[in-house]
Amino acid sequence: TTNALRLPSHLSRQQLAHHCHLPAGTFAYMAAMLARLSQASGMLVRTPSLSRTAAIVSLGPHDVVLLENPELHTLELQTTTPTALGALRQVSQCLSQLRASHFGQLKHLLLVELDENVFVRVQDVQAGFRSGDAVLRLANRSVPRMEVVAKLNHVLPAHNSDGTFHCFISYRQGPRDSLATHSFADALLGQDGSQLRLFHDVTSLKSGEK
């Protein structure tokens, strides 16, 4: 939580401690919001575990650990899932809601550790990756694309070597849900069907197949 306009393109731990400020109560509010999200998701893997500076919650099928770092005045997100994009989006949404309801002047950035003691903006990593360049410019140095994939794949947009995306539609059988699912599938394919491989049981399975 900081003034994002004044930050350099990358920061060390010392710079984080200097630039960042975590208002009292921020961690408690965030932990409570994530716990509610976890319980409302319908995919509760574990009961949320909360302490004064740490929270373990289930977002989807994966455990996510939220930590308060009093030395750096930051919140840290840890997860073992291959991609943290869903968790990052939910945390960012929670921070936006928190700012609107309790901390009007709060600004926040999502950072990821590129190298030891070198933190860069997640949005800069994602923008550089989307450019398709073989070499990305991060932290004032040139970083090969494959090195970025190896180190930071968990915050990169979904990607495949052949440029296609796979989508599986799961739904409850019933007249209303079936109609909605058909409309959803048509809308997806209408966006860019050439890059999307869609599995929809009605069209993807022959009679008698499972």
Side-chain angles (χ1 to χ4, degrees):
T1 59
T2 180
N3 188 336
L5 298 178
R6 298 178 182 175
L7 287 181
S9 61
H10 61 284
L11 299 98
S12 64
R13 291 185 179 274
Q14 293 78 8
Q15 289 173 313
L16 281 174
H18 174 74
H19 285 286
C20 295
H21 169 66
L22 198 63
T26 303
F27 171 80
Y29 278 118
M30 280 293 299
M33 294 174 78
L34 289 176
R36 286 196 295 270
L37 274 178
S38 173
Q39 292 171 327
S41 68
M43 298 181 65
L44 190 59
V45 178
R46 68 156 71 222
T47 301
S49 176
L50 308 176
S51 71
R52 186 171 296 180
T53 58
I56 304 176
V57 299
S58 300
L59 296 179
H62 304 290
D63 284 346
V64 172
V65 181
L66 181 73
L67 301 171
E68 179 181 6
N69 189 321
E71 295 182 359
L72 301 183
H73 317 297
T74 60
L75 295 178
E76 298 180 7
L77 187 69
Q78 299 177 358
T79 177
T80 57
T81 177
T83 175
L85 287 180
L88 284 176
R89 279 193 294 269
Q90 290 176 307
V91 168
S92 186
Q93 290 170 2
C94 287
L95 284 169
S96 297
Q97 294 173 20
L98 190 61
R99 179 178 60 192
S101 59
H102 294 89
F103 304 108
Q105 302 302 314
L106 183 70
K107 298 180 183 293
H108 70 275
L109 280 177
L110 299 178
L111 303 173
V112 63
E113 193 167 16
L114 175 64
D115 291 313
E116 185 176 357
N117 202 28
V118 178
F119 294 84
V120 295
R121 295 181 177 95
V122 170
Q123 64 182 29
D124 291 345
V125 175
Q126 294 174 342
F129 183 81
R130 288 192 182 99
S131 71
D133 294 338
V135 177
L136 281 62
R137 191 69 180 171
L138 296 171
N140 291 335
R141 68 182 180 88
S142 297
V143 184
R145 183 182 183 86
M146 294 308 298
E147 181 180 335
V148 173
V149 171
K151 290 182 175 179
L152 306 178
N153 188 58
H154 56 293
V155 299
L156 295 179
H159 57 279
N160 291 304
S161 58
D162 60 359
T164 61
F165 298 88
H166 298 257
C167 177
F168 176 86
I169 299 180
S170 176
Y171 65 102
R172 293 181 178 179
Q173 295 288 344
R176 181 180 299 177
D177 291 334
S178 296
L179 180 60
T181 304
H182 276 294
S183 300
F184 180 57
D186 290 342
L188 283 175
L189 293 174
Q191 294 297 317
D192 191 350
S194 63
Q195 290 185 300
L196 183 66
R197 296 188 62 182
L198 176 67
F199 182 92
H200 180 204
D201 59 355
V202 176
T203 58
S204 303
L205 287 178
K206 297 179 181 178
S207 178
E209 287 185 337
K210 294 183 179 180

